[in-house]
Amino acid sequence: MSERSRATREQDDARIASLTEAARPRVENALRAPQFSAGMVEVNVFRVAGHTELADRIAETVGAAGPAAVAGAKRHLVETFGARNPERGWLGFVMFVAVLSSAFAAAAASGVRSDPVMLAPWATALAGVAVLGQVIVLAGARLRPVNRFIVRMQLFVVAALVLAAVLSFTHGLTGSGTAVAVCAGLAAALAVVVVVIRSRGGEATQDVDLSVERAYLRAIGEVDAVARDAQRDVDASLDTREAEIVVAVRTRLLEEFAGRRTELAGLDADLPAGAMIIASKADPDRWLPPAMAKSRKR
């Protein structure tokens, strides 16, 4: 090793040691954060090394990509499926009303806490509302496949109305029981139509069933693309020597604090500078809707 190379190496070692000392108390404070991550270690290394603007820029860019991708996924579902949108399509709300109506019809026919004779008109009316809800759903879908959750709600309506009819007959309410039984028959027929449409829908049925999952997988891909652009930004902004110093400081701190935070153990020390900031902001578990984030862990 030449004298110049040795001097450069000594300068780099001294700077690494100095930056490590400067970043250590910052990392200590970061450990108390509810969503602590390895990215918080690296962002403090960037700041003590004089690259605050770069760290903030990539953190803000990647951090904003997740919510934007979620908004895009929701917009795609609305534009593609409209009323049939499994997340917020109005057919789901109508079907939910139908489910409640059928459940209340069964409760009214049971006579719990009240005279079933007095509640018989209510049982009949609620049964009619439940069937009307199914008709609206079928018409609103324009005879196209609906998602499997609506099918399950349809089956619940049928079961609840059958129960309401049986309870009405049990209490000797022939008129009301007959009316509710007719509603139950209509509900069953409508449910069969929905099931048949789905069974013959082929790819259209698969599309609506997997629509939410596909929309958010597309969102994850969009955020990954932003993350790759952010890494290229870091690579272009730091020369090789400076990047190596940042990685060296980051590695020392990760090793030092790994015993106190399990999320810092076993990380790849060879990741390029900025990679941990980017990964922490791009992590789908941080920006996906809770239900989707939870389903990814199953």
Side-chain angles (χ1 to χ4, degrees), residues 56-221:
D56 290 346
R57 183 172 73 240
I58 62 173
E60 182 178 353
T61 299
V62 182
V70 168
K74 292 182 181 297
R75 187 167 55 252
H76 168 77
L77 289 170
V78 171
E79 293 172 351
T80 305
F81 297 98
R84 296 183 301 138
N85 173 9
E87 269 203 338
R88 295 184 178 180
W90 62 262
L91 294 186
F93 293 105
V94 172
M95 201 62 235
F96 181 67
V97 172
V99 166
L100 288 179
S101 297
S102 64
F104 285 135
S110 70
V112 176
R113 295 186 178 182
S114 187
D115 184 357
V117 175
M118 295 179 59
L119 294 178
W122 282 101
T124 303
L126 288 167
V129 170
V131 173
L132 177 61
Q134 287 182 281
V135 172
I136 292 173
V137 166
L138 194 60
R142 289 185 289 176
L143 302 181
R144 292 174 296 175
V146 293
N147 69 81
R148 62 172 68 94
F149 299 106
I150 286 183
V151 175
R152 292 172 186 172
M153 287 191 281
Q154 295 257 355
L155 297 177
F156 180 92
V157 167
V158 174
L161 293 184
V162 168
L163 176 60
V166 170
L167 291 170
S168 295
F169 285 124
T170 300
H171 290 104
L173 302 173
T174 306
S176 176
T178 300
V180 175
V182 170
C183 288
L186 291 173
L190 290 167
V192 168
V193 172
V194 170
V195 171
V196 170
I197 290 173
R198 275 180 53 84
S199 66
R200 295 182 178 180
E203 187 175 340
T205 300
Q206 187 177 47
D207 285 344
V208 74
D209 281 345
L210 299 177
S211 59
V212 175
E213 180 181 350
R214 287 173 174 174
Y216 287 114
L217 284 175
R218 188 181 300 109
I220 291 173

Side-chain angles (χ1 to χ4, degrees), residues 184-291:
L186 291 173
L190 290 167
V192 168
V193 172
V194 170
V195 171
V196 170
I197 290 173
R198 275 180 53 84
S199 66
R200 295 182 178 180
E203 187 175 340
T205 300
Q206 187 177 47
D207 285 344
V208 74
D209 281 345
L210 299 177
S211 59
V212 175
E213 180 181 350
R214 287 173 174 174
Y216 287 114
L217 284 175
R218 188 181 300 109
I220 291 173
E222 292 173 359
V223 174
D224 286 343
V226 173
R228 288 191 293 272
D229 289 341
Q231 186 62 64
R232 284 192 284 269
D233 184 6
V234 176
D235 295 342
S237 299
L238 299 178
D239 61 39
T240 302
R241 180 181 177 188
E242 184 67 8
E244 289 176 351
I245 290 174
V246 168
V247 170
V249 176
R250 183 188 70 191
T251 299
R252 288 191 181 187
L253 291 168
L254 291 174
E255 291 174 350
E256 182 176 334
F257 289 98
R260 296 170 58 181
R261 297 299 293 255
T262 57
E263 57 264 57
L264 300 183
L267 294 175
D268 185 0
D270 294 328
L271 289 174
M276 292 185 183
I277 298 174
I278 295 168
S280 67
K281 295 296 183 181
D283 182 2
D285 290 338
R286 287 179 175 263
W287 53 265
L288 278 176

